[in-house]
C-alpha cells in the first residue's frame, strides 16, 4: 500500500465549531472561507487527478439540469483561486500551487472545478419540496457511493443514517431552503478508520464496521453550504482531513472520545 495522505492536524473538528457537537451543527463563516488549502494539498490533488482520469464514472456525475449551476460554480471557484497565493490564473488554464496546469474546460465546468480545489463539490437543486443531488465531484467519499445518490433527494440520500430520520430531516431541509447568497455555513463530522485511504466508497447494503477508539486514524470533514446567486443551487463542499490518532493533543483526543460516545455510530455524513 502506498503511503497515506495525511495532515499534521485536524481542521475545524466538530467540537471546535459553535454548536458543532449537536446535529446538524451549523454555524456561519466568512464568504471566502468555504474553500481552503492545507499541507496535504499536493498529495490530495494528485489523487484527485488520478481518480478523475482513471475512474471518472465513480467520482464524477452530473445531470443536464445542473449544467448552468456548474458553470456558475466554476466561476466562483476561479474567483476564489485567483485571490489565493500559489495559484496562477490565465484565460485558458490555471496553475495550481503544486505546479500542475489545469486547462479551463468550459464544456466540463464541474469536473474542471474539482481539479482546482481539495474539496469535493456537490450541487443540489430544489425540486418540489426537497433538494436533489444533481452533480458532484466526489473523490473522497466516506463510506458512500455517488452512483447510489445522484438524482436523489436529501431524505433518500441519508436513508442509511439513523440520526437523519424524523425531525432532523425536516430541520436540514429548512436549512437548505434558508441559505442566503453570500452567507455560507459550515459543519463538521468525525469518523475513525483503520484504513486511512481517502477514497472509500461503500454500497448502502455494505455498511462498514465502526472501529471506534481501536482505530489508528481520525477522519474529519469540513462541510460548507453556500447558495449560488443566479441558479439558486446549493453547493455542498467537503474538505477531508485524515490524521493519525497518536498526533492528537490530549484535549482533542478527549473531545473526540466524547463526540464518538455521544454520536455512537458516527456523525451525519
Amino acid at each position: 500500500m502506498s503511503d497515506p495522505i495525511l495532515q499534521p492536524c485536524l481542521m475545524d473538528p466538530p467540537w471546535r465549531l459553535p454548536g458543532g457537537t449537536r446535529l446538524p451543527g451549523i454555524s456561519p463563516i466568512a464568504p471566502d472561507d468555504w474553500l481552503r488549502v492545507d499541507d496535504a494539498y499536493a498529495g490530495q490533488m494528485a489523487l484527485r487527478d488520478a481518480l478523475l482520469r482513471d475512474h471518472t464514472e465513480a467520482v464524477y456525475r452530473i445531470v443536464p439540469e445542473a449544467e448552468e449551476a456548474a458553470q456558475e460554480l466554476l466561476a466562483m471557484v476561479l474567483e476564489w483561486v485567483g485571490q489565493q497565493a500559489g495559484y496562477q490564473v490565465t484565460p485558458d488554464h490555471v496553475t495550481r500551487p503544486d505546479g500542475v496546469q489545469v486547462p479551463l474546460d468550459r464544456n466540463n465546468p464541474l469536473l474542471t472545478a474539482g481539479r482546482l480545489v481539495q474539496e469535493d463539490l456537490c450541487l443540489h437543486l430544489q425540486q418540489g419540496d426537497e433538494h436533489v443531488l444533481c452533480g458532484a465531484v466526489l473523490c473522497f467519499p466516506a463510506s458512500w457511493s455517488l452512483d447510489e445518490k445522484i438524482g436523489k433527494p436529501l431524505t433518500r440520500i441519508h436513508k442509511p443514517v439513523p440520526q437523519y430520520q424524523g425531525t432532523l430531516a425536516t430541520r436540514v431541509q429548512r436549512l437548505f431552503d434558508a441559505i442566503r447568497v453570500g452567507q455560507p455555513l459550515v459543519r463538521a463530522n468525525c469518523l475513525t478508520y483503520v484504513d486511512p485511504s481517502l477514497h472509500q466508497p461503500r454500497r448502502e447494503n455494505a455498511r462498514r464496521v465502526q472501529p471506534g477508539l481501536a482505530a489508528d486514524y481520525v477522519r474529519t470533514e469540513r462541510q460548507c453550504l453556500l447558495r449560488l446567486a443566479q441558479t439558486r443551487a446549493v453547493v455542498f463542499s467537503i474538505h477531508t482531513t485524515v490524521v493519525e490518532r497518536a498526533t492528537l493533543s490530549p484535549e482533542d483526543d478527549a473531545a473526540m472520545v466524547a463526540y464518538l460516545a455521544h454520536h455512537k455510530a458516527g456523525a451525519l455524513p
Side-chain angles (χ1 to χ4, degrees):
M1 185 177 76
S2 60
D3 291 337
I5 301 169
L6 303 175
Q7 280 96 338
C9 59
L10 293 176
M11 177 188 291
D12 292 347
W15 52 86
R16 291 193 208 149
L17 296 174
T21 59
R22 301 189 303 273
L23 294 178
I26 294 290
S27 57
I29 54 173
D32 63 349
D33 194 27
W34 63 290
L35 300 171
R36 290 191 178 175
V37 173
D38 68 24
D39 297 283
Y41 183 91
Q44 286 198 359
M45 297 309 295
L47 178 56
R48 294 177 72 80
D49 285 345
L51 288 167
L52 286 166
R53 180 188 64 240
D54 301 332
H55 304 281
T56 311
E57 287 293 315
V59 299
Y60 167 66
R61 295 291 182 94
I62 190 167
V63 303
E65 295 85 351
E67 289 291 347
E68 185 179 357
Q71 294 285 356
E72 187 177 4
L73 173 58
L74 176 58
M76 286 194 67
V77 169
L78 289 173
E79 180 181 5
W80 186 86
V81 301
Q83 299 171 353
Q84 308 305 310
Y87 283 96
Q88 296 179 9
V89 181
T90 73
D92 61 357
H93 72 269
V94 173
T95 303
R96 301 188 315 214
D98 59 356
V100 173
Q101 284 192 357
V102 178
L104 292 181
D105 184 356
R106 306 285 182 176
N107 293 320
N108 293 285
L110 182 56
L111 191 149
T112 300
R115 292 196 60 207
L116 296 177
V117 295
Q118 282 178 262
E119 284 78 5
D120 283 325
L121 300 170
C122 302
L123 279 171
H124 292 80
L125 301 180
Q126 186 157 9
Q127 296 182 1
D129 294 332
E130 290 200 75
H131 280 76
V132 174
L133 178 62
C134 291
V137 171
L138 183 73
C139 294
F140 305 150
S143 302
W144 58 289
S145 296
L146 180 56
D147 70 323
E148 285 189 317
K149 309 297 187 180
I150 193 71
K152 303 294 194 304
L154 290 172
T155 49
R156 177 60 186 84
I157 288 171
H158 293 97
K159 183 179 178 180
V161 183
Q163 302 101 312
Y164 193 83
Q165 307 310 313
T167 59
L168 180 58
T170 302
R171 281 190 285 148
V172 171
Q173 183 54 54
R174 288 176 179 168
L175 171 68
F176 268 64
D177 293 339
I179 296 170
R180 298 180 180 179
V181 174
Q183 298 181 19
L185 305 170
V186 68
R187 69 173 303 272
N189 65 16
C190 176
L191 300 162
T192 54
Y193 279 81
V194 174
D195 180 358
S197 300
L198 287 160
H199 181 68
Q200 294 208 40
R202 188 168 280 104
R203 312 300 293 180
E204 287 184 357
N205 61 1
R207 300 299 292 167
R208 76 184 183 100
V209 175
Q210 301 287 339
L213 299 179
D216 293 326
Y217 297 95
V218 179
R219 175 173 177 147
T220 62
E221 294 180 331
R222 182 180 189 265
Q223 304 171 346
C224 296
L225 293 158
L226 70 154
R227 173 86 63 190
L228 298 181
Q230 301 303 317
T231 59
R232 307 294 296 172
V234 172
V235 179
F236 181 65
S237 67
I238 309 166
H239 190 115
T240 301
T241 301
V242 181
V243 303
E244 292 184 276
R245 185 186 176 194
T247 67
L248 296 183
S249 68
E251 294 78 12
D252 274 335
D253 194 82
M256 181 195 69
V257 171
Y259 177 88
L260 293 177
H262 178 69
H263 291 285
K264 295 184 176 64
L268 187 67

